[in-house]
Amino acid sequence: MTDATRLTPLGVMVLALLREDPMHPYEMIRLMRQRHDDRIIALTNGTVYHTVARLERLGLVSEVGVEREGNRPERTTYALTDAGDAAITDWVRRELPRLGRPTEYRVALAEAHNLGREETLALLRRRLAALEEALHVYRTGLAKARGGTVFEQYLVEADREFALLTADRAWLAAFLDRLAHPDFVWGPHETDDRYLAQREAARQ
């Protein structure tokens, strides 16, 4: 089992934060809340501290210092290791084209900028092809059921899933066109004053 396959969505988000800079877990928690990452994943102090400890055992992060200010408890700062850096991209590569894993997909999309533009396009085109195949299966199955003796009440969930897949496919096709355009900013870029202010607030 590779390191990437052992990562949870929260673990990936923690590693991605450490790509920005070494941080202590409390700063990670505050940053994720400021960025509203709790829309995607369940976020508690306990789960973040537990996740960081697990990532350290896996060799994906390492302790780089301990600080203490005033009456505050000690704060241990962690940095991303080379293995942790590789694990992020490996995980995103694996999850981005896959169907049926909604939380993983949302995190992979959120962290897809860690991959190059062309690679991201290729992975999302694979997902688009998988969506079209899934839509064909649902379309065929629903038509067959409705042409037989199946009451509509038994098809409600399948009908909803077909609608969600249709919407997902439409969004993805449009996004691929946007991402392919060179004016669409993608990948690492310089920090601005807003980002620096956010980081400073999270450290308090």
Side-chain angles (χ1 to χ4, degrees), residues 24 26 30 66-75 200-204:
H24 51 73
Y26 184 68
R30 295 198 67 178
V66 178
E67 63 181 53
R68 184 168 194 159
E69 294 183 13
N71 294 324
R72 293 176 179 171
E74 287 186 348
R75 292 176 175 175
E200 182 60 31
R203 292 190 186 102
Q204 302 307 311

Side-chain angles (χ1 to χ4, degrees), residues 22 52 58 63 137 179:
V52 171
L58 290 171
E63 181 181 322
V137 171
L179 180 57

Side-chain angles (χ1 to χ4, degrees), residues 160-176:
R160 174 183 179 274
E161 186 64 18
F162 179 72
L164 292 175
L165 289 170
T166 301
D168 196 10
R169 187 217 171 277
W171 178 86
L172 184 54
F175 177 68
L176 283 166

